[in-house]
Amino acid sequence: RRRSRYLQSNNKLKSRKVKMTIKPTRILFSPITVIFVVYVAVFLFQMTVVFPAEAKLFPVYSKTASLMFLPHAVRVLATAIIGPKAFFLLIPGAIVGYLLQTRSFEMVFDGTSLLMAIISAASAPAGYILLKRILGDRFVFSDLMLNWRYVFLTGIIASAINSIGLVAVYVVPAETTVF
């Protein structure tokens, strides 16, 4: 009797044709793919067009920081559209961005560069969460996507968080001494 139940359930499984296929369009247009491709494309544009233009126009500032860092806009817009979970979608793009910038696997996957990529990817979601804490009940996620002021304010807060975090990682340890 037990065997017949097993055979019946096994036959039911065989009779149902379960499709376990993933459509290429679903992968191609998934949020992680779109955000990754846009982030890397904007980073390449930044490196090939914006950085050289800034170096010619503002030679003093170009060695320190970019006055118009376009990948930051991708971070902020991804966070405005998806929410704080965009952090997990931004990490691969940030790591590849640092890889493109340094052109060395050893430099990207050392502790400092990896931490800098994580800080950069976390800046927009952190700015989003901080803005949500500041505004309290007045903050509605759907309003963030519709109101450019919230997006702009999130970008400003995220830029400050990113700057403070990167300076803390990159500059402070180089200037401190043990004794």
Side-chain angles (χ1 to χ4, degrees), residues 36-170:
F36 177 78
V37 168
V38 170
Y39 190 90
V40 171
V42 169
F43 202 93
L44 285 171
F45 179 78
Q46 181 78 27
M47 287 180 54
T48 57
V49 176
V50 177
F51 282 158
E54 284 182 345
K56 289 185 179 181
L57 294 173
F58 309 106
V60 175
Y61 300 111
S62 66
K63 294 191 186 341
T64 309
S66 177
L67 298 175
M68 184 178 70
F69 191 67
L70 297 176
H72 184 70
V74 175
R75 292 184 218 142
V76 172
L77 290 175
T79 304
I81 293 169
I82 296 174
K85 63 184 175 184
F87 167 74
F88 300 106
L89 305 177
L90 291 168
I91 285 285
I95 291 172
V96 169
Y98 275 98
L99 180 64
L100 291 171
Q101 192 173 17
T102 59
R103 299 176 196 264
S104 167
F105 280 106
E106 292 83 21
M107 289 181 70
V108 170
F109 293 109
D110 72 341
T112 304
S113 295
L114 200 56
L115 186 59
M116 289 170 67
I118 290 170
I119 289 170
S120 296
S123 64
Y128 174 91
I129 292 168
L130 188 61
L131 183 63
K132 187 175 181 178
R133 298 277 184 205
I134 292 169
L135 294 178
D137 293 337
R138 295 177 295 165
F139 184 84
V140 179
F141 178 71
S142 61
D143 288 348
L144 179 63
M145 288 182 14
L146 298 174
N147 193 338
W148 66 269
R149 291 180 186 121
Y150 287 152
V151 176
F152 193 71
L153 191 56
T154 301
I156 291 171
I157 294 170
S159 182
I161 292 170
N162 189 39
S163 297
I164 292 168
L166 293 180
V167 165
V169 169
Y170 191 69

